[in-house]
Amino acid sequence: MSISDKSQDLNISSVDSSSLVDKVESTLIELLISQKLTPGDLIPKEMELTKMLGVSRTVIREALNRLKTIGLIETSKRKGSIIKSPNLLFLLQKSLIPSILDHATLKDIFELRLVMEIGMSDLIFRRAKPKDIEELEAIVKEEPTSAKEVLFDIDHEIAFHGKLYEISGNQTLMDFQSILLPAFRYVYDSEMIKSPEHDSKWISHKDLVQILKNGTPNKFRNAMRKHLDRHFKGHFKDIKTT
Amino acid sequence: MSISDKSQDLNISSVDSSSLVDKVESTLIELLISQKLTPGDLIPKEMELTKMLGVSRTVIREALNRLKTIGLIETSKRKGSIIKSPNLLFLLQKSLIPSILDHATLKDIFELRLVMEIGMSDLIFRRAKPKDIEELEAIVKEEPTSAKEVLFDIDHEIAFHGKLYEISGNQTLMDFQSILLPAFRYVYDSEMIKSPEHDSKWISHKDLVQILKNGTPNKFRNAMRKHLDRHFKGHFKDIKTT
DNA sequence: GATGCGTCTTATGTATGACATAATGCAATA
DNA sequence: TATTGCATTATGTCATACATAAGACGCATC
């Protein structure tokens, strides 16, 4: 029996290996919450915090720096630190470096795209304005009509689907898409996805636009699912279609 | 005419106000990418970086601390800093403090939930194992059968829908849901959402489970949309139903 | 020869003091 | 009144010193 097994059995409380900065960081976050601070409020100066928490300014600064990194505060000279409403997605952007992400996560992200695009059909259908539809029509204008001929052009693909996200009117969703884009491209480029030939029942971009104009939310949602079918089939062979 | 107006006219390029730490941070990230570093690789020691970049150790440390905050690296004594595949969602967790998020973002997040749950129907349908269905049945067992009587119990709601995320088999999606949970709760608690009475066509959790057992992916997806309809109606009055 | 133990070395973690720099308020001045 | 200039304040950067944990290494023990 190894020592680690023993520690499980004996329920030895694991020693607190977190650094001072870690502790101060969480203390500060708790402070924000308990004090019900909202964006615009100021938090104590560095020197006050050093006195309050009994640690050096170095530690305080490193902790504040972390809050700054996750967008919870903003600092300026003379004024000090001010609470901010963080842009959730801005964060992801920095850490999302496709080459560093592991395969499983990349796969998840690609799947997430499919999930979002099907799910947002209702938003799109409701919020599409005539002008949006015109733009979509302009984008798909050059596409050949026969399904067989449709080549897979990633830039074109992104233009069309990107516009859909825009129409959804959900800023968080849009940000999310734009952040995940590098991951999508990476998945395509690295040939993790092979798009098989689509069959005659396949729904093209043009078809989607038509349904958006004349169909119902339900029809549109199901059409979107069909449109994405080749991706479901292509990589995620474990997903039943239709 | 104010000075700021003038600067616009004269097209004076705004001075770079970013701090040294900001610059070092992006330099380091570029380094990671250009050097094609992957998880497990070591990056130069703090002292080497101070020499390479010509700044003090303080600045280097603050920049490294940021990379650590976004999960790109991990540090340990004696070994130095090591590249990590960041858990994208872990990050969000810290910054997602509902009371600090602005209303618009909270609304977006709630909407995102609806989008994801409809969109992931296909994954659920394909990946649900007999055991999963049993669990779902256990969860909905206590529910009254008549739609009229169904009370809105948020914990029950979370148990059922949480299980659905689990079934989806997409780890990123699951993490996402668990992170967004506080925001969901907040939206419910703060009564930003009012659930209207559901009509006779409403789909209950029990109905969903039945369709999951005996239906098709298409039916399940559309049923999920109907199930969530009260939320679409409740808060997002600008969304057409069905 | 393998295992265990103590010591040394190394790189990060923390503390302290100093000065630079930007933002703000206020007083002096034209 | 408007503008300039100075003092103040709090963050940003630098330098140095020491604490601490994790490996590396050698040595003794079996």
Side-chain angles (χ1 to χ4, degrees), chain B residues 21-85:
Chain B
V21 177
D22 290 329
K23 287 176 196 126
V24 171
E25 183 193 359
S26 27
T27 303
L28 287 178
I29 290 183
E30 280 165 28
L31 190 80
L32 300 196
I33 297 175
S34 69
Q35 300 275 53
K36 298 200 202 311
L37 296 183
T38 53
D41 293 342
L42 291 170
I43 67 178
K45 316 298 174 197
E46 292 177 358
M47 289 312 290
E48 300 179 42
L49 288 172
T50 60
K51 279 182 190 166
M52 285 168 60
L53 304 180
V55 294
S56 73
R57 185 171 163 227
T58 309
V59 171
I60 297 290
R61 276 187 64 76
E62 294 212 350
L64 286 176
N65 194 21
R66 290 191 186 175
L67 298 195
K68 196 158 39 170
T69 305
I70 62 180
L72 270 179
I73 64 171
E74 215 169 27
T75 59
S76 69
K77 292 186 176 176
R78 165 116 194 168
K79 253 208 311 219
S81 305
I82 184 170
I83 307 278
K84 229 180 88 185
S85 177

Side-chain angles (χ1 to χ4, degrees), chain A residues 108-237:
Chain A
D108 278 0
I109 288 177
F110 190 80
E111 208 170 283
L112 204 50
R113 178 209 152 176
L114 303 180
V115 164
M116 292 192 301
E117 296 197 7
I118 293 169
M120 73 185 184
S121 301
D122 286 275
L123 305 185
I124 294 171
F125 197 88
R126 174 59 183 89
R127 291 178 180 160
K129 302 194 185 95
K131 188 161 165 288
D132 293 322
I133 294 183
E134 277 171 34
E135 279 184 51
L136 284 177
E137 284 179 327
I139 293 174
V140 301
K141 200 173 177 186
E142 309 299 330
E143 285 182 6
T145 40
S146 159
K148 287 286 175 199
E149 299 170 31
V150 177
L151 290 176
F152 190 79
D153 172 357
I154 184 166
D155 291 312
H156 182 77
E157 194 73 9
I158 287 175
F160 182 81
H161 287 269
K163 178 67 190 169
L164 293 183
Y165 281 88
E166 191 189 319
I167 295 174
S168 82
N170 185 313
Q171 186 62 43
T172 303
L173 198 51
M174 271 174 66
D175 292 347
F176 209 52
Q177 122 93 355
S178 74
I179 286 164
L180 296 183
L181 261 184
F184 295 157
R185 279 186 186 277
Y186 186 82
V187 171
Y188 284 123
D189 292 348
S190 64
E191 310 239 353
M192 285 171 65
I193 304 277
K194 285 226 181 288
S195 325
E197 292 297 312
H198 25 259
D199 57 26
S200 54
K201 286 184 306 179
W202 184 64
I203 301 273
S204 69
H205 288 163
K206 278 187 178 167
D207 298 331
L208 280 178
V209 177
Q210 272 317 108
I211 296 170
L212 186 53
K213 280 172 78 169
N214 306 316
T216 65
N218 252 346
K219 278 186 188 162
F220 185 67
R221 191 181 330 120
N222 293 333
M224 180 67 80
R225 172 62 182 83
K226 273 212 184 99
H227 170 67
L228 295 171
D229 200 42
R230 54 178 169 170
H231 295 311
F232 275 95
K233 278 190 193 149
H235 191 58
F236 304 111
K237 301 208 173 61

Side-chain angles (χ1 to χ4, degrees), chain A residues 20-39:
Chain A
L20 256 183
V21 178
D22 290 329
K23 287 174 198 130
V24 171
E25 183 193 359
S26 29
T27 303
L28 287 178
I29 290 183
E30 280 165 28
L31 190 80
L32 299 195
I33 296 175
S34 69
Q35 300 275 51
K36 299 199 201 312
L37 295 183
T38 53

